[in-house]
Amino acid sequence: AEVWDGEPRAYLGMTVPAVPNFFMTYGPNTNLGHNSIIFMMECQANYIADAIEKLHKKGAKSMQVKEDVMQAYEIETDAGLEETAFVRDCVSWYKTKSGKVVNNLPCSTPQYWWDTLSVRESDFTWSY
């Protein structure tokens, strides 16, 4: 909660800057207004397994998403959400007190599948 300060954010809805080796499923901006959350969680499970495999193969002790990667993803997510009804002027459980949508995914599930198909090693800082 302190890391987020009331505004949950996670790269691909799974990993958070400054929290090494942490992955979650069904995190911020992964809820759907279409399709199946099971599909999303399968994408996330595969991504997390790939991260663990890469961590092991590299002989690294930890990995954490870079802050600039998180910021770029957040900008892209927010821009995508601007095209949806979720950001309209209303009170909703999709939004924080400030009005930021932190619950819904702005892209299609095939796009999310593509984005989570494999961990991009350059998105992370690796510690040995």
Side-chain angles (χ1 to χ4, degrees), residues 20-71:
N21 294 343
F22 174 77
F23 291 89
M24 66 183 139
T25 58
Y26 201 29
N29 293 108
T30 59
N31 191 53
L32 298 172
H34 57 80
N35 215 302
S36 166
I37 196 61
I38 294 169
F39 174 79
M40 299 293 288
M41 293 178 83
E42 288 172 344
C43 291
Q44 293 166 353
N46 290 332
Y47 185 89
I48 293 166
D50 186 46
I52 293 168
E53 183 177 346
K54 286 183 170 142
L55 190 67
H56 178 72
K57 283 185 177 179
K58 290 173 83 59
K61 292 182 180 178
S62 69
M63 61 187 289
Q64 69 181 40
V65 68
K66 296 175 181 175
E67 180 62 39
D68 64 318
V69 170
M70 178 66 237
Q71 288 176 358

Side-chain angles (χ1 to χ4, degrees), residues 64-85:
Q64 69 181 40
V65 68
K66 296 175 181 175
E67 180 62 39
D68 64 318
V69 170
M70 178 66 237
Q71 288 176 358
Y73 179 75
E74 192 169 22
I75 289 167
E76 179 182 335
T77 299
D78 291 346
L81 284 164
E82 284 298 319
E83 303 297 318
T84 70

